[in-house]
Amino acid sequence: MSFTDIIILVLTLAFFAFALYDEFIINHLKSPTLLSIPLLRRSRADGMIFVILVAILIWNNVQTQGSTFTTWLLSALALVGFYIFWLRTPRVRFKKEGFFFSGLWTPYSRITAMNLSEDGVLVFQLGERRLLISVRNIDDLERIYKFMVSNQ
C-alpha cells in the first residue's frame, strides 16, 4: 500500500466516521434528542467540485493503469462524499441541556441573545461568536421558539 493509498483511506474513513457520527451517534449523546430540525444546505457547489475532482482522479488512475486498490479507494471516497454533500440532511438537534449544530455541542447557558433576521435566519449570540441557523421550513422557527420557551 502506497502513501497515497494510506492518505485516501484515512480521508475516506474520516468522512465515513463523520457520516456515522452525524446520523446515528449524535442522537444519543448528552441526552435523547427532543427536537430535530432540518436545515438549508449551504452550497452544493463545493461538494460537486469535490466529487468531480475525485472522479477525475479515478479516470486518471484508470487511464494510466494505476493500482486497482487505489481506484476502489477513490470510488469509496467519491461515494461517501456524494452522501455527505448531497444525500445527508443537515440538522440542528435540541437536547435537554443544549443543542448540536454542525456537529458541535452548545449548552443553552452560553446563549447570550437570540434574534430572528428579516430573511428568517435564527441568530444565536454566544459571547463573541454567532450561530446562524437557516431552517428549511419557516414553520420550524415557531417550533424552535416554543421548544426554547418550554425548556428554559
Side-chain angles (χ1 to χ4, degrees):
M1 186 180 316
S2 69
F3 182 70
T4 304
D5 290 342
I6 292 171
I7 296 295
I8 296 169
L9 182 63
V10 167
L11 284 174
T12 305
L13 290 176
F15 270 145
F16 187 69
F18 171 75
L20 285 176
Y21 170 76
D22 189 55
E23 194 67 33
F24 301 110
I25 296 172
I26 211 166
N27 287 328
H28 303 291
L29 288 178
K30 302 289 183 182
S31 66
T33 301
L34 301 175
L35 181 64
S36 180
I37 303 292
L39 303 174
L40 285 176
R41 294 183 194 275
R42 291 194 181 144
S43 174
R44 290 189 179 187
D46 294 336
M48 182 171 53
I49 290 170
F50 176 78
V51 172
I52 288 173
L53 287 175
V54 173
I56 290 170
L57 289 173
I58 292 170
W59 177 259
N60 187 33
N61 191 47
V62 169
Q63 288 298 322
T64 59
Q65 297 178 356
S67 167
T68 348
F69 185 65
T70 304
T71 304
W72 281 104
L73 286 175
L74 287 170
S75 299
L77 182 62
L79 285 174
V80 172
F82 179 78
Y83 170 77
I84 287 176
F85 294 119
W86 276 296
L87 300 180
R88 181 184 67 91
T89 302
R91 296 184 166 278
V92 59
R93 292 171 176 91
F94 291 94
K95 309 277 186 159
K96 185 177 180 182
E97 299 294 326
F99 62 94
F100 279 100
F101 175 68
S102 295
L104 300 175
W105 173 253
T106 304
Y108 294 131
S109 60
R110 288 198 53 212
I111 298 174
T112 57
M114 188 169 92
N115 298 312
L116 184 62
S117 70
E118 292 177 4
D119 52 348
V121 176
L122 186 60
V123 180
F124 286 120
Q125 188 69 36
L126 309 173
E128 297 290 323
R129 197 171 138 217
R130 293 184 323 171
L131 295 179
L132 305 174
I133 299 177
S134 302
V135 295
R136 183 182 294 177
N137 185 355
I138 200 75
D139 295 333
D140 289 336
L141 291 172
E142 184 177 342
R143 290 177 54 203
I144 293 173
Y145 173 74
K146 287 179 181 178
F147 177 81
M148 295 294 279
V149 168
S150 68
N151 289 323
Q152 292 297 324

